[in-house]
Amino acid sequence: MTRTPQTYDVVVIGGGPVGENAAGRVVRGGLRAALVEAQLVGGECSYWACVPSKALLRPGAAVAAARGVGGAAEAVTGAPDAAAALRRRDGFAAHWDDSGQAEWLAGAGVELVRGRGRLAGPRQVEVTTGDGAVRRLAARHAVVLATGSRPAVPPVPGLADAPFWGTREATAAREVPGSLAVLGGGVSGTELAQAFARLGSRVTVVARSRLLGAFPRPAARLVADALETEGVTVLEGRGTERVRRGGDGIELVLDDGGTVSAQRLLVSTGRRPALDGLGLEELGLDPAALRVDDSGRVAGPQEQWLYAAGDAAGGPLLTHQGKYEARAVGDAVVARAAGRLGDSVPAWSRYASTADACAVPQVVFTDPAVASVGRSAEQARADGLEVDVVEHDIDVAGASLHRDGYRGWARLVVGRRRRTLVGAVFAGPDVTELLHAATVAVVGEVPLERLWHAVPVFPTISEVWLRLLEEYGL
Ligand SMILES: Cc1cc2nc3c(=O)[nH]c(=O)nc-3n(C[C@H](O)[C@H](O)[C@H](O)COP(=O)(O)OP(=O)(O)OC[C@H]3O[C@@H](n4cnc5c(N)ncnc54)[C@H](O)[C@@H]3O)c2cc1C
Ligand SMILES: NC(=O)c1ccc[n+]([C@@H]2O[C@H](COP(=O)([O-])OP(=O)(O)OC[C@H]3O[C@@H](n4cnc5c(N)ncnc54)[C@H](O)[C@@H]3O)[C@@H](O)[C@H]2O)c1
């Protein structure tokens, strides 16, 4: 163990997208930062989540897009090439080599400390390196927890003894299994079901409620219908009673007496913050109930030097939102170190991740996609807002031109008192890029009367905005 700690202004534990951004922001503000990473710089997102999952989806989506356009469809003569798709994915995952990201950190002036970090007292971090050596780091101003999340594995009898994939194994798969059972119909399960189905697997999704239960029913239905049309079996409202080895792989026994057999099982049943083993209990903090304020500062008995951001902080489990929190944390730490920011943080300032509460954008990258931002009507009402809801099928000329037989659906949630948009959902092929306009309108609290003058181009899918505003009465 090194006796004298190396001192930095800020120590960040966890080098995923969130940790990298927090450290980068701190250095940009003129402070010295160390970033502690136990595995690969770039985190889950770069190697086992966002990037490889989107890389696995893209070839199937490109082929389906061409098949959906008469004249182009005739040029598509085969199925996606799974081996080539996996090779392309390998490239996007940088072959699980983080030297490029480590270089980025060095260029940004962040010092990388490889090893597993834990809090060893106020402003103290202990890092155990690969060879078992222990280094001590001290932080003058702040320690930031950016340790991400871990999969939540459900207590299904037999699961612990069965071989199964988590999202890590699925996104890093070396081959496409002949058949795949997916337990969990959330975002990961649905995206990976379509990715593997389009690359050649026979896929069954087992969802204990409905597919994409966190999204509006009509949007989720469009996705479920598309999956079923492509040959995916979607079993909704089905619990799993046990998992056992069987046939050439595994078998799920469902609560309606049915069984699902597959060569591989993917368990994608949610994630929770990775806060175990960080020494939080010794500081009087409960890892299962960490609370952070808008600037990411952890509430508790310690003297306000501890921050958390991204998946570790327990808010939206999304890269872009975590990076947004990291920018707020980094800027708040710099401002507090300079005595420019006190305890309270003004909403919508650069030190606050205000949008986390009311304007989180998310896309389910399936085909059709689901893109949503802001509050649902239920969330808005729970927050004390009176809202109106307008819905419209996406049946505009731009959509029909975009893909033959285009099916899409959109919803706006409008605050009645101020007549501003508080939420929006778009579902359909290639609606992904429609979302940012809605995010700008929600964050900017643009009155609908003014939004009326944001004229969507003819013929684009965005014309659905006009239909929705007309539906609202404009
Ligand atoms: C299959 C899948 C697909 C996804 N797709 C998307 C998507 O398309 N878009 C999107 O926005 N989000 C997506 N997400 C969510 C996204 O991956 C996470 O929100 C994001 O990775 C969170 O970033 P983070 O930096 O907080 O954590 P992570 O990316 O998990 O990084 C945390 C880092 O901390 C390190 N670490 C942990 N503990 C320690 C320790 N004690 N000492 C040192 N290092 C430590 C880990 O090794 C890791 O590198 C997806 C998730 C999954 C599972
Ligand atoms: N495109 C994206 O932005 C993207 C993609 C993938 C993941 N993510 C993020 O990663 C996080 C984790 O993804 P996820 O899909 O694992 O979580 P999720 O919360 O989206 O879905 C988990 C699903 O598992 C189900 N489930 C839980 N326990 C179960 C059980 N015992 N049996 C059967 N089903 C069970 C839940 O009902 C839910 O439908 C998400 O919160 C999401 O924000 C984002």
Side-chain angles (χ1 to χ4, degrees), residues 420-436:
T420 57
L421 196 63
V422 297
V425 184
F426 304 94
D430 299 317
V431 293
T432 307
E433 300 293 343
L434 258 61
L435 189 62
H436 198 59

Side-chain angles (χ1 to χ4, degrees), residues 77 101 109 154 166 201 224-225 235 241 250 252 255 355 362 387 408 415 472:
T77 51
Q101 302 234 23
S201 276
D225 285 352
L235 302 175
E241 292 207 325
I250 55 88
L252 305 186
D255 59 3
Q362 177 166 21
V387 291
Y472 190 71

Side-chain angles (χ1 to χ4, degrees), residues 292-295 313-318 320-322 324-325 328 347-348 352-361 373-385 421-423 439 442-443 445:
V292 297
D293 68 12
D294 272 5
S295 70
L317 302 177
L318 294 165
H320 45 273
Q321 219 60 27
Y324 163 71
E325 292 162 17
W348 299 114
S353 42
T354 312
D356 273 8
C358 58
V360 174
V373 64
R375 299 170 169 110
S376 66
E378 296 73 30
Q379 286 161 345
R381 287 180 188 125
D383 288 346
L385 294 177
L421 196 63
V422 297
T439 307
V442 171
V443 171
E445 300 175 340

Side-chain angles (χ1 to χ4, degrees), residues 14 16-18 37-38 43-45 49-50 54 115 117 147-148 311 317-320:
V18 172
E37 172 53 52
E44 203 74 15
C45 178
C50 330
K54 265 77 263 179
T147 48
D311 282 15
L317 302 177
L318 294 165
T319 293
H320 45 273

Side-chain angles (χ1 to χ4, degrees), residues 54 154 183 186-188 191 208 269-271 317-318 362-363 365:
K54 265 77 263 179
L183 177 59
V187 193
S188 300
E191 286 184 351
R208 67 176 174 182
T269 47
R271 300 178 70 84
L317 302 177
L318 294 165
Q362 177 166 21
V363 171
F365 288 90

Side-chain angles (χ1 to χ4, degrees), residues 65-415:
R67 284 221 169 94
V69 180
E74 289 72 10
V76 181
T77 51
D81 180 328
L86 294 180
R87 281 198 300 278
R88 181 172 183 272
R89 181 279 320 269
D90 290 353
F92 276 97
H95 302 273
W96 293 272
D97 172 348
D98 68 354
S99 46
Q101 302 234 23
E103 253 171 55
W104 179 86
L105 276 184
V110 176
E111 190 160 328
L112 172 61
V113 178
R114 291 200 183 266
R116 183 156 293 280
R118 79 185 296 279
L119 298 163
R123 296 186 172 83
Q124 303 291 313
V125 173
E126 211 171 73
V127 182
T128 307
T129 57
D131 57 8
V134 176
R135 273 177 76 176
R136 291 190 75 104
L137 312 178
R140 276 187 210 96
H141 298 295
V143 176
V144 181
L145 302 178
T147 48
S149 59
R150 289 189 216 296
V153 178
V156 177
L159 186 58
D161 304 318
F164 67 87
W165 277 355
T167 49
R168 270 200 168 203
E169 291 74 20
T171 52
R174 303 311 319 156
E175 58 188 17
V176 173
S179 54
L180 178 70
V182 179
L183 177 59
V187 193
S188 300
T190 306
E191 286 184 351
L192 289 166
Q194 186 169 56
F196 279 97
R198 286 182 163 183
L199 293 176
S201 276
R202 197 160 32 77
V203 177
T204 306
V205 183
V206 182
R208 67 176 174 182
S209 49
R210 63 178 171 84
L211 199 78
L212 297 177
F215 295 84
R217 195 175 286 275
R221 197 62 249 156
L222 279 176
V223 178
D225 285 352
L227 288 179
E228 283 172 338
T229 304
E230 292 172 15
V232 174
T233 306
V234 180
L235 302 175
E236 296 184 304
R238 248 46 88 82
T240 303
E241 292 207 325
R242 76 170 15 262
V243 174
R244 59 187 177 217
R245 288 170 194 266
D248 64 346
I250 55 88
E251 193 171 66
L252 305 186
V253 180
L254 307 185
D255 59 3
D256 62 355
T259 57
V260 175
S261 301
Q263 200 179 328
R264 288 268 178 209
L265 168 64
L266 163 62
V267 177
S268 50
T269 47
R271 300 178 70 84
R272 58 178 140 70
L275 296 170
D276 300 332
L278 284 176
L280 287 167
E281 295 87 344
E282 286 87 328
L283 292 166
L285 291 163
D286 177 1
L290 206 68
R291 282 183 302 113
V292 297
D293 68 12
D294 272 5
S295 70
R297 199 157 60 171
V298 174
Q302 84 295 335
E303 280 170 49
Q304 318 208 311
W305 51 270
L306 187 61
Y307 290 73
D311 282 15
L317 302 177
L318 294 165
T319 293
H320 45 273
Q321 219 60 27
K323 286 162 66 174
Y324 163 71
E325 292 162 17
R327 294 192 289 273
V329 164
D331 287 1
V333 167
V334 169
R336 285 188 175 127
R340 285 189 276 110
L341 182 68
D343 284 342
S344 73
V345 185
W348 299 114
S349 70
R350 58 194 285 194
Y351 312 118
S353 42
T354 312
D356 273 8
C358 58
V360 174
Q362 177 166 21
V363 171
V364 183
F365 288 90
T366 44
D367 169 29
V370 180
S372 75
V373 64
R375 299 170 169 110
S376 66
E378 296 73 30
Q379 286 161 345
R381 287 180 188 125
D383 288 346
L385 294 177
E386 282 183 48
V387 291
D388 294 307
V389 174
V390 284
E391 298 176 356
H392 209 284
D393 285 343
I394 304 182
D395 53 6
V396 292
S400 322
L401 282 159
H402 187 74
R403 196 179 288 193
D404 299 342
Y406 191 102
R407 285 182 67 205
W409 172 88
R411 169 187 282 172
L412 298 184
V413 181
V414 181

